[in-house]
Amino acid sequence: MTENNSAVSIRNVTKIFNQGRPNEVVALEDISLEIQPNEFVSLIGPSGCGKSTLLRIIAELLQPTRGEVQVYGKTAHQARLDQDYGFVFQSATLYDWRTVAKNVQLPLEVMGFSREQRKQRASEMLKLVELEGFENHYPWQLSGGMQQRVSIARALSFNPKLLLMDEPFGALDEMTRERMNLELQRIWDRTQTTIVFVTHSIPEAVFLSSRVVLLSPRPGRITEILDIDLPMPRAWEVREDPHYFELVNHLRDTLRAIEGGVQ
Amino acid sequence: MTTAASTPSASRLPRSARQLIAFLLIVLAILVVWEGAKYLGGDPWRADSNPFGIEHRPPFRVKVLSDLNLPHVWSIIEAFGNPARRNGPPLVQILFDAAVYTFREAFAGFVIGGLLGFLLGAIFAHVRLFERGCMPYVVASQTVPIIAIAPMVIIWLKAGWISVAVISAYLTFFPVTINTLRGLKSPDPTQLELMHSFAASTWTIMWKLRFPAALPYIFTSLKVSATTSVVGAIIGELPSGIRQGLGGAILNFNQYYISGPGRLWATIIVSALVGIFFFILVALVERLVLSGRYPKTEIS
Ligand SMILES: Nc1ncnc2c1ncn2[C@@H]1O[C@H](COP(=O)(O)OP(=O)(O)OP(=O)(O)O)[C@@H](O)[C@H]1O
Ligand SMILES: [Mg+2]
């Protein structure tokens, strides 16, 4: 194993589901990617190209068929044991017997934070995702977008070193989504965490990321890695920058070509 | 929850009141059918033997509707008030004491059976091999009739309320095992992945995810077990020779049925009431424990 300072180091990762059976799926093929500390990397690509699978492999929720993943110089397994991951799943995944506040506190409970710390962190996080006053609501009393914001608050609550976010804003309306984008960018700026972010929205990916990774489907491969060389931190006005449009258009064309090639 | 009250079509009465009214209406309907049948096909009604002073000759004669086979409702009510033995206390008091006695046995059986059932379910949920290896025996244990098991238990433990509780537990644990197992396995994969993502231990996953997710399933089985534990206790009393409980009362009044059918019927009614009481008790605890959850439990 070579010395390296990457936050995430993915080397020749291949994932084959149901290998050797008739329903075999090659979800990822020979993925290699280095993510530096405090980077914001977005994964973008057509549905079913293996974005969620890649996030799960990084978090050691799935084992790669071949290849290996290192996180801050440790094995993915060790990083998981060290509680380095904050995972926002594609579905909100709240526990319906817990109130909103209790859901946010779940990781803190597992990690042994004191009651006061838990309460304080939870109310801070809920403020961040604009859900003050909903502490004692149950998940089924919230809209889908609100539920997803609770799950973001939960992932942020313990300041994980690596945030893995699977389409966290997919269920939000345009206005809330824009506010959440600004908020996430602020959190990232403040906390110095590394973020791997999956999205279907090209403008969102360009606005937030330091790099965008484009995946092609069946089998999932990296088609292109694009540096987003827009100034940081980004204000909303970036979205009027001509270079911003260039990048968005470039990604849009490449993605169209990928999807066209598949069909 | 005020959800029901806020819909325009629902009545203004609170839910519990509506439930009570429905229950009383059903009781009334049963009484009407009961006496209606006797009016059509029972023994002749004598004016001095019914509260309304009705003199009536039913048009048909059906054997099962005779006063011996199916006593009048008022005969049963009357039986409650009369002493069962000469100069003894009224039957209600005897049956009340018997009901308390049997309920205690049933409760002990329910607790033992519930804990055993939960423990087995929890072990099966965590050790696949155990589930494969032991489940057939657990299922087989339920196919052996309780009548065959009861004497064995009494031989092992000596006749007493403990043996009765064990017999009752034998009837109770099975639904709890099945439902606990099902409930502990009910969390979906992402809910488990969430726990794994912050390296929660098996123990933590059990108490913070699996157990709370299983609670609605467990309560469903506990409601079944509450009623069967009463049946188990009554049956267990018979070979144990216990006379203080409802089983003893049933045996006793069955022997003297000819001289007073109302007493056996009264005992049956009390037995049913004990089961219903226990069921309601568990249902109330369930409502308390599951309050705030998605209201699917309220639909029942
Ligand atoms: N547990 C699994 N068993 C078998 N196949 C799977 C499993 N999980 C994912 N796949 C397959 O792997 C491929 C990639 O799935 P994945 O969920 O990673 O896609 P995705 O890029 O996240 O898609 P989307 O944008 O729709 O969320 C799909 O073809 C899917 O059918
Ligand atoms: Mg996905």
Side-chain angles (χ1 to χ4, degrees):
Chain A
M1 247 175 253
T2 53
E3 183 73 29
N4 98 50
N5 301 319
S6 299
V8 183
S9 169
I10 302 164
R11 293 184 201 142
N12 311 103
V13 162
T14 295
K15 179 65 188 179
I16 305 170
F17 287 109
N18 308 317
Q19 193 169 19
R21 272 180 268 161
N23 54 349
E24 180 177 290
V25 180
V26 183
L28 295 169
E29 192 171 73
D30 202 26
I31 302 279
S32 291
L33 181 66
E34 298 286 324
I35 298 171
Q36 299 311 313
N38 197 24
E39 248 202 295
F40 193 123
V41 171
S42 288
L43 304 177
I44 202 161
S47 179
C49 71
K51 305 180 293 293
S52 299
T53 304
L54 186 56
L55 280 196
R56 286 196 159 88
I57 288 174
I58 296 173
E60 215 226 353
L61 299 173
L62 280 175
Q63 295 297 329
T65 310
R66 283 191 291 277
E68 62 161 354
V69 173
Q70 283 192 11
V71 176
Y72 293 105
K74 302 176 279 195
T75 60
H77 179 67
Q78 191 55 48
R80 189 166 66 80
L81 294 185
D82 292 348
Q83 298 167 331
D84 287 345
Y85 300 119
F87 207 120
V88 179
F89 292 90
Q90 201 164 346
S91 57
T93 317
L94 303 177
Y95 292 176
D96 64 6
W97 53 90
R98 282 175 171 257
T99 59
V100 165
K102 285 281 179 191
N103 265 293
V104 176
Q105 290 179 24
L106 177 72
L108 305 174
E109 278 176 32
V110 173
M111 294 172 190
F113 283 68
S114 76
R115 182 184 287 267
E116 287 74 45
Q117 279 175 309
R118 292 203 308 257
K119 271 203 167 143
Q120 193 208 328
R121 295 290 299 161
S123 70
E124 268 174 47
M125 290 304 126
L126 286 173
K127 192 182 227 167
L128 207 67
V129 296
E130 302 172 7
L131 281 175
E132 290 161 290
F134 288 94
E135 284 80 1
N136 296 321
H137 282 62
Y138 283 90
W140 57 271
Q141 296 169 316
L142 304 183
S143 72
M146 291 160 94
Q147 291 179 10
Q148 189 60 315
R149 279 184 278 156
V150 176
S151 90
I152 293 167
R154 180 180 59 196
L156 292 172
S157 67
F158 57 100
N159 285 329
K161 285 162 97 176
L162 180 61
L163 249 184
L164 304 168
M165 307 179 88
D166 198 347
E167 293 184 42
F169 306 140
L172 303 186
D173 64 282
E174 200 57 34
M175 298 305 287
T176 318
R177 189 173 189 144
E178 286 178 359
R179 274 207 307 282
M180 287 292 126
N181 279 352
L182 283 171
E183 207 51 69
L184 181 61
Q185 136 118 354
R186 232 195 57 219
I187 292 163
W188 174 56
D189 198 46
R190 209 184 54 198
T191 57
Q192 305 279 301
T193 48
T194 312
I195 299 181
V196 186
F197 186 88
V198 172
T199 179
H200 278 283
S201 158
I202 296 170
E204 183 175 82
V206 173
F207 176 72
L208 288 169
S209 314
S210 47
R211 276 193 297 164
V212 174
V213 176
L214 239 129
L215 293 168
S216 68
R218 268 165 286 268
R221 282 208 190 94
I222 293 180
T223 315
E224 186 177 336
I225 300 177
L226 189 65
D227 277 307
I228 308 297
D229 46 359
L230 292 164
M232 298 267 197
R234 286 174 195 153
W236 201 240
E237 290 70 57
V238 168
R239 297 213 174 194
E240 270 122 53
D241 191 316
H243 188 48
Y244 169 85
F245 283 117
E246 265 171 42
L247 292 164
V248 168
N249 285 333
H250 171 77
L251 279 172
R252 191 162 282 150
D253 291 342
T254 322
L255 203 58
R256 195 168 291 145
I258 292 172
E259 288 188 329
V262 170
Q263 280 144 19
Chain B
M1 287 308 91
T2 53
T3 45
S6 61
T7 55
S9 62
S11 92
R12 256 159 246 270
L13 286 168
R15 233 172 73 97
S16 50
R18 275 184 285 138
Q19 273 177 348
L20 187 68
I21 289 170
F23 175 74
L24 291 178
L25 280 178
I26 288 168
V27 169
L28 191 71
I30 291 171
L31 294 185
V32 166
V33 170
W34 183 304
E35 286 303 327
K38 286 193 70 71
Y39 194 83
L40 289 175
D43 290 332
W45 298 27
R46 285 183 294 114
D48 59 345
S49 71
N50 69 69
F52 313 108
I54 299 169
E55 194 76 54
H56 168 68
R57 286 198 81 72
F60 309 101
R61 263 335 238 294
V62 184
K63 191 149 181 284
V64 289
L65 298 178
S66 74
D67 284 349
L68 186 62
N69 288 323
L70 196 75
H72 279 290
V73 171
W74 41 86
S75 312
I76 298 170
I77 294 169
E78 209 184 330
F80 274 112
N82 291 336
R85 279 178 280 111
R86 197 156 305 165
N87 299 325
L91 185 65
V92 220
Q93 196 180 327
I94 292 173
L95 288 182
F96 182 78
D97 292 345
V100 171
Y101 192 92
T102 298
F103 177 75
R104 271 201 295 230
E105 294 165 338
F107 189 77
F110 174 83
V111 171
I112 298 170
L115 287 177
L116 178 70
F118 175 76
L119 211 68
L120 277 177
I123 292 171
F124 289 173
H126 284 94
V127 192
R128 206 46 189 291
L129 208 67
F130 250 80
E131 187 193 346
R132 291 263 174 79
C134 296
M135 194 54 106
Y137 296 101
V138 173
V139 173
S141 79
Q142 296 301 301
T143 65
V144 181
I146 188 73
I147 298 294
I149 298 285
M152 297 306 297
V153 174
I154 290 160
I155 290 166
W156 294 329
L157 296 176
K158 301 226 169 59
W161 72 269
I162 295 178
S163 66
V164 177
V166 168
I167 291 163
S168 166
Y170 180 87
L171 277 187
T172 352
F173 83 94
F174 186 65
V176 182
T177 299
I178 298 291
N179 278 274
T180 301
L181 180 60
R182 174 91 171 72
L184 292 177
K185 285 181 166 182
S186 68
D188 63 54
T190 344
Q191 288 183 316
L192 282 162
E193 281 186 317
L194 176 72
M195 279 293 189
H196 287 300
S197 79
F198 32 78
S201 65
T202 308
W203 184 255
T204 306
I205 293 175
M206 174 69 186
W207 294 113
K208 292 205 185 291
L209 173 58
R210 290 189 190 277
F211 180 65
L215 273 176
Y217 296 83
I218 293 174
F219 270 110
T220 301
S221 66
L222 287 182
K223 283 190 279 189
V224 176
S225 292
T227 50
T228 47
S229 74
V230 176
V231 176
I234 289 173
I235 291 175
E237 284 175 6
L238 305 181
S240 305
I242 287 176
R243 314 298 287 181
Q244 300 97 309
L246 288 173
I250 288 171
L251 217 56
N252 187 22
F253 298 137
N254 188 32
Q255 260 166 9
Y256 301 106
Y257 188 76
I258 308 269
S259 64
R263 288 180 302 201
L264 184 64
W265 283 92
T267 314
I268 291 169
I269 289 169
V270 169
S271 305
L273 287 178
V274 173
I276 292 169
F277 168 74
F278 205 169
F279 180 91
I280 290 173
L281 206 65
V282 175
L284 284 177
V285 175
E286 177 189 35
R287 195 176 281 193
L288 217 66
V289 171
L290 300 187
S291 69
R293 293 207 189 198
Y294 185 69
K296 60 192 161 202
T297 48
E298 280 183 23
I299 292 164
S300 66

